[in-house]
Amino acid sequence: MFDHKIIVTGPVGAGKSTAIRTYSTSQVVETDILASDQTQTMKEATTVAMDYGTIVLDAETKVHLYGTPGQERFDFMWEILSKGSRGVIIVLNASARNPLQDLRFYLHAFADVLDRVPLVIGVNKISMEQRESDFIEKLQQAAIDFGSDADVLAVDIRKRKDMNKLVKRILFSDKLFAK
């Protein structure tokens, strides 16, 4: 069996924990505590170390999902969790104040990892207006400007089929096979 470690990262409130709960078939390990800073205006609890879950896709493929904390003050965990990863999923909240800025921040924060592994960007909480505009294209262009050929997909992170699209883009990436 091949084990694949995939990092799920992005800003606070983007849906990282939900993504792992949605897709994992094992019991999810969560390290949420009550939010005590500005995060409490967005949600009651926040991840402080990681979320972890697994799924066996077939007889030869097991995926380990590691969700990072979204707060920059826990960025030391990003490096720890990224060791040995085979791919990165950046989850963005399309309804956030500036998703484009969020994307740029996470592209730069994970630049060392993204040099080695495939990336896919999942845009969660996207409005119909955004779907009908050039919103996704702007995010795609930001990824290209960064030097990434990552796919940018509008997703509902609460739907297993959407999570499956993100994970499969990592697993079937040419960059993964180039190793």
Side-chain angles (χ1 to χ4, degrees):
M1 181 171 288
F2 294 103
D3 290 294
H4 299 276
K5 179 181 182 180
I6 297 176
I7 302 304
V8 181
T9 195
V12 173
K16 301 175 300 294
S17 297
T18 300
I20 292 173
R21 283 192 302 269
T22 295
Y23 201 58
S24 179
T25 54
S26 66
Q27 184 170 347
V28 175
V29 175
E30 298 177 287
T31 60
D32 287 358
I33 63 165
L34 289 177
S36 61
D37 58 6
Q38 70 275 11
T39 303
Q40 65 187 330
T41 62
M42 298 183 334
K43 59 187 197 166
E44 189 174 306
T46 190
T47 302
V48 294
M50 69 173 185
D51 295 312
Y52 171 75
T54 63
I55 183 170
V56 176
L57 297 178
D58 57 42
E60 295 186 12
T61 311
K62 183 174 185 178
V63 176
H64 301 264
L65 297 169
Y66 288 83
T68 69
Q71 297 176 45
E72 193 174 349
R73 66 185 169 134
F74 298 118
D75 66 351
F76 64 93
M77 287 300 299
W78 303 349
E79 185 177 341
I80 292 167
L81 294 174
S82 294
K83 288 187 188 327
S85 65
R86 303 284 305 242
V88 174
I89 298 170
I90 295 177
V91 180
L92 298 174
N93 175 352
S95 67
R97 185 176 18 219
N98 194 337
L100 186 57
Q101 182 179 345
D102 292 339
L103 174 59
R104 288 183 182 127
F105 175 83
Y106 282 90
L107 288 170
H108 288 282
F110 284 82
D112 290 345
V113 178
L114 298 177
D115 281 343
R116 302 184 314 269
V117 302
L119 165 68
V120 66
I121 300 159
V123 184
N124 193 31
K125 303 177 185 179
I126 189 166
S127 70
M128 191 54 70
E129 258 181 56
Q130 288 169 314
R131 285 181 188 270
E132 294 172 355
S133 72
D134 62 352
F135 179 71
I136 294 291
E137 288 79 13
K138 286 180 182 176
L139 295 172
Q140 185 73 62
Q141 188 58 54
I144 291 168
D145 292 347
F146 178 75
S148 173
D149 60 351
D151 290 324
V152 179
L153 305 171
V155 294
D156 181 341
I157 221 72
R158 301 167 299 178
K159 295 183 178 176
R160 180 179 287 271
K161 69 178 179 63
D162 284 6
M163 273 303 296
N164 198 47
K165 286 180 196 176
L166 297 174
V167 169
K168 295 266 175 109
R169 295 283 172 112
I170 297 285
L171 296 180
F172 295 114
S173 168
D174 291 339
K175 194 170 187 178
L176 186 62
F177 291 114
K179 290 186 159 210

